[in-house]
Amino acid sequence: MRPYVYITRKLPDAVIKPLKQKFTVNMWDYEDISVPKDVLLAEAKKADALLTMLTDAVDESVLSAGERLKVIANMAVGFDNVDIEAARMRGIAVCNTPDVLTASTADLTFALLMATARRMEEAARFVKEGKWNSWSPFLLAGQDVHHKTIGIVGMGNIGEAVAKRAAGFDMNILYHNRSQKPEVEHKLGAVYATFDEIVSKADFIVCLTPLTSETKNMFTIDVFREMKKTAVFINVSRGPVVNEQDLYEALTTGEIAAAGLDVFEKEPIGREHPLLTLKNVIALPHIGSSTIETRTAMMTLCVENIESILTGKPPKTLVNKEWQPV
């Protein structure tokens, strides 16, 4: 009997062809609708491998149902949607997709920073709505990006790539991380700073930290009040690192100037959410890595990790490094 692989979103046949050649493969039929929990549970009971999305809660209930499960290949860098400890206890390998999305996510991050600073979405809407009747000196005037100070919270691979882009704009680069990165400091002129220093000194605060128990609700009203009144806050990490009600308050009371958000506490965010009513907020639908090339590479890496585990080879990108098959 061939191993059974379940994929929680509809992926291109060309990408999953290597799996179909060796294993029995079933797939959720929709590209833009998450697999229901009852379906995921039923499939987990039969599966030797799951290829999951960051929107899938691979929790204790899923892992305990998966008596045959050997690997979870999560199509994301982050893996906060997977219960890593429960997987470890059951001898289930958890894999992610780092590195292949670094440059694309950094591009999006810096593009979001620029669009927010220069009020690009607001300006484009202004033209399309027929409101541009004349030129004026401060028409939709935004903020300069060049020669300003950027504060990067979370200096992983994506943070380093964002810093490289900031250097090209002659920005002063501050960063905060669990550990210092001397090589980044030497190469890009980045300066290590405490979280409080970044909050108070940076013109642009860019959050790229993973979601952990320590980073959840890292940005609250008290933090926003310590920022410059002209500060722009960018979040391309995970929504729950920010208290969204506090962010709304900071934006409406003038504690900070603007925010560019690619992630939210609950996704997809509802159109009635207060943040979406604000002109000084640019909101994107979690598209940090969304280019055809990068998303295809992420899918391919998931396929390769599944294929490796199910054929007795070491996976390429193992999250739970202490994993041992049972």
Side-chain angles (χ1 to χ4, degrees), residues 214-229:
E214 290 78 21
T215 62
K216 187 175 182 179
N217 275 326
M218 172 181 272
F219 291 91
T220 62
I221 191 61
D222 290 336
V223 173
F224 291 123
R225 284 173 178 160
E226 293 302 315
M227 294 181 185
K228 296 179 179 180
K229 301 293 185 184

Side-chain angles (χ1 to χ4, degrees), residues 244-245 248 266 268-278:
E244 290 181 348
Q245 181 56 45
Y248 176 81
K266 183 179 179 182
I269 189 172
R271 62 184 302 177
E272 72 288 345
H273 195 290
L275 284 170
L276 302 188
T277 67
L278 303 180

Side-chain angles (χ1 to χ4, degrees), residues 13-303:
D13 287 337
V15 174
I16 63 173
K17 183 178 179 181
L19 294 180
K20 287 186 171 182
Q21 290 174 339
K22 294 182 179 181
F23 316 117
T24 299
V25 179
N26 194 12
M27 185 165 52
W28 180 239
D29 288 334
Y30 303 96
E31 294 181 11
D32 56 355
I33 301 174
S34 296
V35 63
K37 189 62 173 286
D38 60 332
V39 174
L40 181 57
L41 286 168
E43 292 293 340
K45 290 180 181 180
K46 303 180 289 183
D48 295 274
L50 292 176
L51 197 164
T52 58
M53 309 295 124
L54 58 86
T55 50
D56 300 319
V58 187
D59 53 20
E60 170 67 30
S61 65
V62 174
L63 295 169
S64 61
E67 297 179 359
R68 295 169 46 180
L69 270 177
K70 298 176 180 64
V71 56
I72 308 293
N74 201 48
M75 194 179 135
V77 173
F79 41 86
D80 47 277
N81 60 308
V82 182
D83 188 331
I84 301 298
E85 178 58 22
R88 183 194 65 79
M89 291 176 61
R90 290 171 172 79
I92 300 170
V94 178
C95 302
N96 64 341
T97 59
D99 302 328
V100 294
L101 51 65
T102 297
S104 296
T105 305
D107 284 350
L108 186 282
T109 301
F110 209 80
L112 182 56
L113 183 155
M114 292 185 67
T116 307
R118 295 299 302 270
R119 301 171 65 182
M120 289 184 184
E121 182 186 50
E122 191 180 350
R125 190 166 58 247
F126 185 82
V127 173
K128 289 182 177 181
E129 292 175 353
K131 296 179 179 179
W132 186 25
N133 299 315
S134 65
W135 184 90
S136 61
F138 285 112
L139 176 64
L140 290 161
Q143 299 187 42
D144 280 333
V145 173
H146 62 86
H147 295 96
K148 293 292 185 70
T149 297
I150 185 172
I152 300 172
V153 181
M155 188 61 96
N157 290 342
I158 297 171
E160 290 183 28
V162 170
K164 182 178 180 181
R165 285 149 179 77
F169 279 74
D170 293 319
M171 299 185 82
N172 302 310
I173 304 167
L174 303 178
Y175 77 96
H176 180 70
N177 200 52
R178 285 178 294 183
S179 58
Q180 285 190 238
K181 298 287 188 73
E183 68 282 3
V184 178
E185 295 173 11
H186 175 73
K187 184 168 58 176
L188 298 174
V191 176
Y192 181 82
T194 66
F195 180 69
D196 290 340
E197 287 173 333
I198 281 183
V199 166
S200 63
K201 293 180 179 180
D203 300 295
F204 298 92
I205 295 93
V206 178
C207 182
L208 290 165
T209 183
L211 177 61
T212 66
S213 56
E214 290 78 21
T215 62
K216 187 175 182 179
N217 275 326
M218 172 181 272
F219 291 91
T220 62
I221 191 61
D222 290 336
V223 173
F224 291 123
R225 284 173 178 160
E226 293 302 315
M227 294 181 185
K228 296 179 179 180
K229 301 293 185 184
T230 55
V232 173
F233 176 70
I234 304 295
N235 188 15
V236 191
S237 58
R238 287 292 187 267
V241 302
V242 182
N243 183 308
E244 290 181 348
Q245 181 56 45
D246 287 1
L247 176 58
Y248 176 81
E249 180 181 341
L251 289 163
T252 53
T253 59
E255 297 293 344
I256 63 173
L261 309 170
D262 187 44
V263 291
F264 300 90
E265 185 174 357
K266 183 179 179 182
E267 296 181 0
I269 189 172
R271 62 184 302 177
E272 72 288 345
H273 195 290
L275 284 170
L276 302 188
T277 67
L278 303 180
K279 290 183 178 180
N280 55 345
V281 170
I282 292 183
L284 304 179
H286 205 143
I287 57 170
S289 62
S290 189
T291 67
I292 294 170
E293 298 92 339
T294 294
R295 288 287 169 87
T296 301
M298 293 167 69
M299 297 171 192
T300 301
L301 183 53
C302 285
V303 166

